[in-house]
Structure formats: C-alpha cells, structure tokens
Amino acid sequence: MDYLQIKKASPLHGEIKISGAKNASLPLIAMAILAKNSVEIRNLPNVADIKTLLKLLSNLGAKCSSAWAENNNVTTIDTSSLTQTKATYDIVRTMRASILVLGPILARFGHCEVSLPGGCAIGQRPVDLHLKALEQMGAVINIEAGYIHAIAPNGLKGCDIIFDKITVTGTANIVMAAALADGITTITNAAREPEVVQLCEILNASGVQIDGIATAVLKIHGTNGRLLHIEPFSIIPDRIEAGTYLCAAAITRSELTLTDVNAGHLGAVISKLQEMGSKFTITDNTITIHPSEVIKPVKIVTQEYPAFPTDMQAQFLALATQADGTSIIEERLFENRFMHVSELQRMGANISLNGHVATINGGTKLSGTDVMATDLRASSALVLAALVADGITDVHRIYHLDRGYDSLEQKLQNVGADIKRLKE
Ligand code: UD1
C-alpha cells in the first residue's frame, strides 16, 4: 500500500493546473449509456473513481478506451455492445456513485440490477430517493439479497417528482432516466451543483429538451426511448480540487495561481477564504491567491450549492487549526463527516466536537506523525496539516486520496512542497 511522506513546507510558489471534475465526470460517463454513438469525453481526471466506473461499463459490455496525456485526455465510450445490466457488488462496494448507472440502464433496457452500495465512512448515504423517484416513473423495484432489482418493461413515464432532500447523484440519475422516458418529468428540489448543470446542458444539446437548468425545478422532455447522439465535450474544472489547493496556499501563507479553473463555481469557498484574510486576483480561467500573514477564524455551515460545500469542510477545518482565534464548523449534510478530527488532534490540533459542530481553537503548533486517511476529503485535510506541521508526517491509506485527486503529489512538488509517495 502507498503512503505519502510530507515535510513542513516553506512557502509554495508557482502554478497548479486544475484537472477535470471527478463528480461531473461520473454522471457524464454513465450518460454514454443513453447514446447511440461512441461518446468522446475530454479532460476526465486520471483518478481511481473514473477508472472504476469505466471498468463497470466495460464489464457490462461497453467498449471504453482512454488516453491520459498532459493536455489532451481523451476517453471514448461505445455502449452499442453493452448487453449486461447487472452492476455487481465487487465494483459498487468500491464506489457508491456506481448507482449512477441505474437510471440510464433502466431507461434504455427496461431492467437493471445494482448492488446496494451499503454503508460509508462519512454516513449512511441511502439511495431511497433515487428508488422512490424511479417507482414514480413506473419502475417496479425489489431489494433482494443485497441487490436492487428494477424493471420497467413498458418503459419509464414522465411524472412530477419532488425530492424530500436535495440529492446530487439522485438528481443526475433521475435526469438521465427521464431523458429516455415517455413524456415530461418535472423534478422539484433538484440539485443545482455545477456538475448537475453540465449533465443537463449536454443532454439538452443532445436532443433532450431540459427547461430550468441550474434552477431547483427541472423539466425534462423525454425522447420515448430514442437514443441520443452526443457530440464530443470536455469536463468542467474540479472545484473541490481547486478549493483544496487554495487552502494549501492559505495554510502555508503562499501565493499560488490555479489555471484551467472556474472561479464562478467557487463563490462560497473564495468568500470564506476572503473572510479568513486571503486576497484574490481572478481572470476567466485563473485564480491567484495572495498570502495573508494572519489567518482569521471563521464560521462555516455546509449546505447544498451554491452554499459552502461539504466536500471542502475537512480542508477548512485543517486551515482553521492555524487561525488566530476560534472557528466553528457545522456539518449539515453527512452525519459522520468528522473522522479527520481525531487524526488532526493527534497532530496537536485543539478541536472539540459536539454532534455535527466542530469548535476549532486555532493557533496551535502541529507536529508531524503517522496519520490515517479515512475518506477522500479527510485525506486532503491531513495533507494540508502536514504542510505546516513540524517534522515529518506520514499519511497512510492514501487509496482514499487516489480516488479523487489527480497527481496530487506531483502538483504539490511542482510548487515546492516536500512530498513523496512511498510503499508501506
Ligand atoms: C454527491 C457527491 C459528494 C458530495 C455530496 C454532497 C458525487 C459523486 N458525490 O454525493 O462528493 O459530498 O454530493 O454535496 O457527486 N440522501 C438520502 N437519500 C438518497 C440520497 C441522498 O437521504 O436517496 C441524503 C444523503 O444521505 C445526504 C444528502 O441526502 O445526507 C445529500 O446526499 P447526496 O447529494 O445524494 O450525495 P451524493 O450524491 O451521494
């Protein structure tokens, strides 16, 4: 197993190119199931979760080929040979987002089986809202022996769906199912994350009229089973990767420039960093963060987009350990998303937890030690802490990190960090 060894950093300097967004890529790969042509996707990030989903599609019979190069990533997915409709446990257990194949496979073939994803380090994460919406569209769903069995022999029918909670992959799944349904599906309380917006925009450009894109009410005009012709497209920049490197700059009091980034997707993150003292120069596709000597404490509540993202909570918590005062961070989306706290405490951070609220007394000196990554974003919080901890920090179980960060150690090395990947 690999681990990262990180030494305390002098200020970082230079540029980091942001990769394509993992969370945009996953539904857009699943979307290829709705296409009659071979779909060409550019700018997929080179991360484990993407390979997992491509492997799942290949296991089902699709032909996938990827070439990851510095400035020219191209993946093609041809689902004309896809014949299997069962997403098995061995893949789904490694990545919950595998559930994203349920909507498109059911819509195209009239039946689908997907292993139930099971528990997750950050919370229960049920998929009940996905299933309830598909039932409303006419699917018959049974759970047997750990699998979701869904059938819709006469196809899916457009209907009015109101999500009890805003769900990102739930919205994407139902948008894809509705794309081939008979009639209009209205989704109320839909997710408005940029990743969902990109999915809707590409479907809209591929012959599925979608009204209300980027709003909480989506109206999808289904094609009644007609497969789509999808033109080549490029994945939007990863706003969470970008936010993580902005926190790396803030915690090390460095000036860094991010390239190939969309500041418009980072409003809440940039605004919290401004409150903490950072200054920014922003262009169409770059963000430069200017160092601030004093890091001010902050109050953060995680919520759905456009509010502050739960996927940036762990990184800001690490940053708050270095603030000049007490910060409060409230996690509203996932019930168990503070696993990084005990590891940061082992490094010397002064944090107290009360249910879903963390109080961080900043200004403590962190010391390098062995720490364990517990989930994807928790891993990056430990890397950030390690950049300012005295001595050497070994971050173990970085397979979590590899699920979602493309070339993290190379990108940090390029801006001057002392970080290397070693074998246990
Ligand atoms: C997506 C992101 C993840 C991010 C999360 C919240 C992907 C691949 N992952 O996850 O990085 O942290 O959004 O922004 O895009 N819920 C239910 N029933 C359901 C579905 C969700 O109760 O059927 C609950 C969840 O437990 C959670 C909340 O709704 O409390 C939001 O979850 P959701 O938006 O669905 O998260 P994901 O789509 O899994």
Side-chain angles (χ1 to χ4, degrees), residues 23 26 97 125-130 165-169 193 310-311 333-334 337:
N23 287 354
L26 294 169
R125 303 186 81 177
V127 291
D128 57 314
L129 300 174
H130 303 230
K165 269 189 199 172
I166 298 175
T167 161
V168 175
T169 47
E193 270 66 4
T310 173
D311 285 352
L333 276 114
F334 294 110
R337 205 171 197 179

Side-chain angles (χ1 to χ4, degrees), residues 332-378:
R332 290 248 181 107
L333 276 114
F334 294 110
E335 65 271 22
N336 195 26
R337 205 171 197 179
F338 279 128
M339 307 264 284
H340 39 289
V341 165
S342 47
E343 296 303 290
L344 291 170
Q345 283 167 333
R346 293 186 55 253
M347 296 176 78
N350 181 348
I351 307 165
S352 58
L353 268 185
N354 183 3
H356 55 272
V357 179
T359 304
I360 306 107
N361 294 310
T364 46
K365 233 177 168 7
L366 301 181
S367 318
T369 182
D370 288 279
V371 287
M372 199 88 89
T374 49
D375 70 62
L376 171 56
R377 305 305 169 187

Side-chain angles (χ1 to χ4, degrees), residues 68-261:
W68 270 287
E70 177 80 8
N71 282 314
N72 193 22
N73 294 345
V74 186
T75 293
T76 52
I77 305 171
D78 180 353
T79 57
S80 59
S81 52
L82 191 150
T83 48
Q84 304 294 313
T85 56
K86 180 171 178 175
T88 50
Y89 178 68
D90 54 330
I91 296 230
V92 179
R93 77 187 169 90
T94 64
M95 190 186 66
R96 303 179 50 80
S98 307
I99 191 73
L100 282 165
V101 301
L102 176 61
I105 290 183
L106 182 62
R108 176 164 170 182
F109 296 97
H111 55 92
C112 181
E113 282 174 70
V114 179
S115 170
L116 268 177
C120 166
I122 64 173
Q124 283 188 14
R125 303 186 81 177
V127 291
D128 57 314
L129 300 174
H130 303 230
L131 304 187
K132 191 173 147 200
L134 290 171
E135 282 176 336
Q136 278 184 264
M137 298 177 80
V140 176
I141 295 181
N142 286 299
I143 311 282
E144 278 167 33
Y147 275 81
I148 302 162
H149 297 256
I151 54 166
N154 302 318
L156 296 168
K157 305 266 177 289
C159 66
D160 290 346
I161 291 161
I162 303 176
F163 277 128
D164 294 341
K165 269 189 199 172
I166 298 175
T167 161
V168 175
T169 47
T171 303
N173 226 343
I174 301 310
V175 165
M176 289 190 281
L180 296 195
D182 176 13
I184 296 175
T185 303
T186 305
I187 305 177
T188 302
N189 210 20
R192 289 178 289 160
E193 270 66 4
E195 295 77 17
V196 174
V197 171
Q198 187 176 27
L199 171 70
C200 291
E201 282 172 346
I202 288 169
L203 285 171
N204 194 51
S206 309
V208 182
Q209 185 188 332
I210 303 185
D211 308 325
I213 294 179
T215 75
V217 181
L218 296 171
K219 201 174 250 201
I220 304 115
H221 300 250
T223 67
N224 196 11
R226 182 175 45 78
L227 294 180
L228 314 178
H229 180 86
I230 299 174
E231 293 290 335
F233 62 88
S234 189
I235 301 288
I236 56 170
D238 195 314
R239 63 193 167 101
I240 306 301
E241 187 200 21
T244 302
Y245 292 126
L246 292 178
C247 286
I251 201 168
T252 55
R253 295 162 165 89
S254 308
E255 179 160 306
L256 277 185
T257 296
L258 309 186
T259 63
D260 294 61
V261 66

Side-chain angles (χ1 to χ4, degrees), residues 2 47-49 376 398-405 409 421:
D2 292 355
V47 298
D49 273 8
L376 171 56
I398 53 161
Y399 55 85
H400 290 292
L401 198 81
D402 293 337
R403 286 188 39 213
Y405 284 93
E409 70 268 22
R421 182 179 287 259

